[in-house]
């Protein structure tokens, strides 16, 4: 008999749960609901060019940016899924100024809070380029049953219980870690299931790709400029020049570099003194994934996961990817203050 060895996301979650005899299945339920929301959003994105969903929703989000309709949809779908899991008692989202507290009877005792960017890179939707969802899960620090507060969401990245992203690309994939390796699941549209396709992902220690918005080059700090020049110089012994690849969609740029090896950079500049990316729901989850795959994430001089967030939408300069590349840019920054 032929064997069809398929591991679905739910199989995988249950298998992992068995490694923790004390686990009550709460966390597994939460992840399952995130998977379901991802399928709903993925399906809507597939129809984006057909349905009347393209274009702006007419609202401005807390970052002062126009919201796309799909941002709103993704935010609602993920928030509803997290609520209905019954395991999540509050959510922080790029799309909302303040945290959302779940006071419903079945959710108030949930042990987890989730920080998310429901649709990152959404300005790419209109031009049919990949976008993604980013999520980060923490155990609440407020007592069960109490209302959550900002402190629950302003924990250091080192406290993450899990982090992941969904990439809505040529296929839909979910990649996540619970601090014990990174695994990738590809959605089989005919089955409607995420299937384990990229077990135990490892970020190559060095790579050949660098990803940065070079349009901002002249406004970058000196160390970053010198590192970019280093990437472009010819030196066969170190495999240079490197290749420049930038989609402008963090999830997609990170995903490619995770698989192939490389560095993603969003430095400070005159236009964005703290960079553009948000620590709590963009940088920390990707940093947790990077580290769990053997990579590194830095704000230039220190580890991203060690930063204590002061506010929900705080920004930070960001360098993430292959350890040798991130370490080297730290050197360039240190030597060119
Ligand atoms: P968003 O959360 O508003 O979509 O913005 C974040 C996105 C990232 O996905 C991407 O890496 C970055 O913004 C691109 O910014 P820029 O266009 O300045 O290069
Ligand atoms: Mg974003």
């Amino acid at each position: 008999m032929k064997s069809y060895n398929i591991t679905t996301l739910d199989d995988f979650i249950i298998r992992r749960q068995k490694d923790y005899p004390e686990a009550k299945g709460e966390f597994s339920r939460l992840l399952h609901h995130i998977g379901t929301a991802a399928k709903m959003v993925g399906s809507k994105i597939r129809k984006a060019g057909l349905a009347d969903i393209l274009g702006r929703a007419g609202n401005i989000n807390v970052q002062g940016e126009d919201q796309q309709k799909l941002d709103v949809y993704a935010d609602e779908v993920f928030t509803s899924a997290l609520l209905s899991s019954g395991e999540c008692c509050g959510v922080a989202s790029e799309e909302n100024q303040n945290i959302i507290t779940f006071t419903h009877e079945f959710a108030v005792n949930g042990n987890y809070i989730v920080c998310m960017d429901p649709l990152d890179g959404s300005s790419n939707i209109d031009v049919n380029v990949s976008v993604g969802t980013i999520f980060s899960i923490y155990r609440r620090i407020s007592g069960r049953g109490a209302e959550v507060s900002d402190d629950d969401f302003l924990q250091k990245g080192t406290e993450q219980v899990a982090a992941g992203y969904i990439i809505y690309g040529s296929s839909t994939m979910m990649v996540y870690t619970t601090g014990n390796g990174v695994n990738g699941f590809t959605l089989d549209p005919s089955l409607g299931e995420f299937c384990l396709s990229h077990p135990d992902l490892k970020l190559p220690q060095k790579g050949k790709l660098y990803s940065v918005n070079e349009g901002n080059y002249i406004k970058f700090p000196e160390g970053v400029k010198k590192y970019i020049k280093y990437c472009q110089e010819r030196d066969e012994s170190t495999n240079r020049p490197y290749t420049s690849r930038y989609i402008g969609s963090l999830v997609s740029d990170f995903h490619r570099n995770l698989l192939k090896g490389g560095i993603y950079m969003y430095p400070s500049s005159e236009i964005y003194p703290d960079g553009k990316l948000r620590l709590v729901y963009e940088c920390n989850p990707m940093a947790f994934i990077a580290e769990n795959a053997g990579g590194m994430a830095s704000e230039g001089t220190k580890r991203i996961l060690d930063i204590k967030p002061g506010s929900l939408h705080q920004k930070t300069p960001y360098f993430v990817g292959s350890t040798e590349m991130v370490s080297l840019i730290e050197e360039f920054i240190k030597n060119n203050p």
Side-chain angles (χ1 to χ4, degrees):
M1 191 184 82
K2 262 190 181 172
S3 103
Y4 296 93
N5 198 5
I6 294 171
T7 303
T8 67
L9 176 62
D10 284 341
D11 292 337
F12 188 84
I13 294 170
I14 290 164
R15 259 184 232 163
R16 281 290 163 104
Q17 189 191 317
K18 285 191 187 135
D19 295 341
Y20 301 92
E22 72 286 4
K24 297 194 277 293
E26 299 174 342
F27 181 70
S28 302
R29 260 191 299 281
L30 186 59
L31 275 179
H32 168 81
H33 277 72
I34 290 175
T36 305
K39 287 181 210 170
M40 287 176 69
V41 171
S43 152
K44 186 70 102 183
I45 288 172
R46 293 268 165 266
K47 293 182 208 142
L50 300 169
D52 178 30
I53 198 86
L54 280 172
R56 307 191 192 292
N59 299 323
I60 305 284
N61 73 5
V62 289
Q63 321 292 339
E65 301 154 339
D66 286 340
Q67 274 188 9
Q68 305 293 119
K69 281 184 183 178
L70 272 165
D71 290 13
V72 180
Y73 177 77
D75 191 46
E76 287 170 0
V77 168
F78 275 96
T79 305
S80 308
L82 293 167
L83 170 62
S84 60
S85 75
E87 310 300 347
C88 174
C89 53
V91 173
S93 160
E94 177 176 326
E95 302 302 331
N96 301 301
Q97 179 74 53
N98 300 315
I99 57 169
I100 297 172
T101 307
F102 296 152
T103 47
H104 313 68
E105 208 182 318
F106 62 91
V108 77
N109 283 314
N111 199 18
Y112 298 98
I113 61 102
V114 175
C115 306
M116 64 173 181
D117 183 350
L119 205 61
D120 183 67
S122 53
S123 59
N124 283 316
I125 290 262
D126 283 357
V127 289
N128 212 349
V129 169
S130 304
V131 288
T133 297
I134 307 172
F135 63 89
S136 171
I137 304 176
Y138 293 82
R139 248 179 227 105
R140 68 187 304 169
I141 50 178
S142 52
R144 277 203 200 221
E147 233 180 73
V148 283
S149 75
D150 279 3
D151 291 341
D152 288 297
F153 296 85
L154 299 178
Q155 301 184 53
K156 281 189 190 172
T158 45
E159 301 308 307
Q160 288 172 97
V161 173
Y165 61 82
I166 297 112
I167 176 167
Y168 309 101
S170 44
S171 54
T172 300
M173 268 190 82
M174 177 159 156
V175 174
Y176 82 95
T177 179
T178 53
N180 176 20
V182 178
N183 292 283
F185 301 81
T186 303
L187 182 66
D188 181 332
S190 61
L191 299 176
E193 294 278 7
F194 281 104
C195 301
L196 182 62
S197 53
H198 295 67
D200 200 18
L201 280 162
K202 295 283 180 232
L203 222 163
Q205 288 300 293
K206 54 184 166 194
K208 226 181 126 40
L209 301 173
Y210 73 99
S211 310
V212 64
N213 184 343
E214 285 187 78
N216 297 329
Y217 179 85
I218 54 168
K219 314 267 191 213
F220 285 155
E222 210 41 43
V224 176
K225 282 185 182 171
K226 288 203 167 134
Y227 179 75
I228 292 173
K229 284 292 158 221
Y230 167 90
C231 294
Q232 296 167 345
E233 279 157 14
R234 186 174 175 80
D235 175 23
E236 276 170 24
S237 69
T238 49
N239 228 355
R240 286 178 288 143
Y242 297 155
T243 296
S244 167
R245 287 281 181 273
Y246 190 69
I247 296 169
S249 176
L250 172 64
V251 172
S252 316
D253 282 309
F254 177 91
H255 183 70
R256 182 199 52 244
N257 294 357
L258 169 64
L259 297 184
K260 292 188 182 283
I263 182 168
Y264 172 94
M265 305 178 255
Y266 211 108
S268 59
S269 66
E270 275 169 39
I271 322 161
Y272 299 116
D274 295 312
K276 181 184 173 192
L277 300 180
R278 278 55 64 126
L279 173 63
V280 171
Y281 45 79
E282 291 177 328
C283 302
N284 266 338
M286 298 314 232
F288 195 55
I289 297 166
E291 286 199 7
N292 273 285
M296 192 172 161
S298 168
E299 60 80 69
T301 53
K302 55 177 182 284
R303 185 184 178 211
I304 285 288
L305 296 180
D306 283 336
I307 302 173
K308 170 82 178 84
S311 62
L312 278 184
H313 301 288
Q314 175 176 333
K315 295 176 182 173
T316 177
Y318 196 47
F319 306 91
V320 65
S322 295
T323 294
E324 285 193 15
M325 301 174 93
V326 179
S327 304
L328 189 60
I329 197 167
E330 281 190 333
E331 285 290 307
F332 273 84
I333 291 170
K334 195 171 81 196
N335 297 331
N336 295 277

